Amino acid sequence: MCRQQKTTQVGCRGEDRLETEGTPGAPNMGPLKEATETGEETDLMERILDSENFEIACLKVKENGGAPGIDGMTVQELLPYFRDHGRELLESVRNGGYRPRPVRRVEIPKDGGKGVRNLGIPTVVDRLVQQAVARVLAPICEKTFSDSSYGFRPERSPHDAMEKVLEYYNDGYIWAVDIDLAKYFDYSDIGIIKES
């Protein structure tokens, strides 16, 4: 069940969005359907599972490179694997049987030598599924993101964010807020979050 989002700010970007009762503050993405330009609904799962989408995703995973996950499969082995096992993979995603493998944990040194950063490396098959999903959902979700958001966005970088900060500074603003949720849940009382 959905209800209109509560906001005290007039003109707030989220004032016209719906939120589910179970997760106040989180916008409802709705059913896995999207209206096309002609008004016809399209099933997002079918778009995700389209074999051409997966083939393009395969090429993107190969292009991105990266180390193997826990199964040892390299990005060079992915396309031949998909040709041999693609139908089974697509069917397992379709019927809900697909389960991502655990990630391979690697520690890499942080810049400046101050500690290490934990990195989780998914298998290339899991990266393929993630890429296929992202190719369909990212353009849909991208439309709802704030123009002030720069993290992990296509065609945006930390340099773009700094250019925007400099632009605001030159306009007379003196405060900039950098929010990183990386360790947010490590220090938050989950009970309080669930209650609200």
Side-chain angles (χ1 to χ4, degrees):
M1 181 166 190
C2 295
R3 63 176 181 215
Q4 196 64 31
Q5 184 172 353
K6 296 176 185 171
T7 183
T8 58
Q9 296 178 331
V10 176
C12 176
R13 291 179 53 91
E15 70 184 337
D16 60 342
R17 295 203 181 142
L18 298 176
E19 61 183 29
T20 61
E21 285 188 359
T23 54
N28 178 13
M29 295 304 288
L32 286 175
K33 295 193 183 294
E34 181 189 40
T36 63
E37 290 178 13
T38 62
E40 175 185 330
E41 279 192 347
T42 179
D43 187 324
L44 293 178
M45 185 60 86
E46 289 308 312
R47 285 178 46 200
I48 290 167
L49 295 175
D50 179 76
S51 58
E52 185 178 335
N53 181 46
F54 261 79
E55 287 174 21
I56 294 168
C58 245
L59 296 174
K60 186 68 176 167
V61 169
K62 185 176 180 182
E63 178 187 313
N64 290 343
I70 62 165
D71 62 357
M73 184 187 292
T74 66
V75 293
Q76 289 77 19
E77 297 170 294
L78 182 59
L79 196 53
Y81 173 87
F82 184 68
R83 286 189 182 125
D84 293 342
H85 303 282
R87 269 198 195 126
E88 301 158 34
L89 176 61
L90 294 174
E91 188 54 37
S92 72
V93 174
R94 181 176 282 109
N95 69 26
Y98 171 76
R99 295 290 178 265
R101 304 277 307 269
V103 296
R104 183 167 64 94
R105 292 282 172 207
V106 177
E107 290 182 346
I108 58 172
K110 286 186 177 180
D111 291 339
K114 295 185 178 185
V116 295
R117 182 179 316 283
N118 290 315
L119 189 62
I121 303 175
T123 67
V124 292
V125 172
D126 290 341
R127 282 184 256 170
L128 167 62
V129 174
Q130 293 168 5
Q131 185 65 232
V133 171
R135 284 183 37 74
V136 173
L137 294 186
I140 296 166
C141 296
E142 184 67 24
K143 297 176 207 170
T144 68
F145 294 153
S146 168
D147 286 338
S148 300
S149 173
Y150 288 85
F152 302 101
R153 302 270 306 276
E155 310 300 321
R156 291 186 176 216
S157 71
H159 298 289
D160 296 326
M162 288 307 300
E163 284 179 24
K164 194 64 171 175
V165 168
L166 183 59
E167 180 184 318
Y168 285 141
Y169 177 77
N170 290 333
D171 287 344
Y173 293 93
I174 58 172
W175 289 92
V177 178
D178 176 18
I179 299 172
D180 187 350
L181 298 177
K183 301 236 182 239
Y184 174 77
F185 291 103
D186 293 346
Y187 301 101
S188 300
D189 185 338
I190 300 302
I192 293 173
I193 294 170
K194 287 181 178 180
E195 287 174 16
S196 63

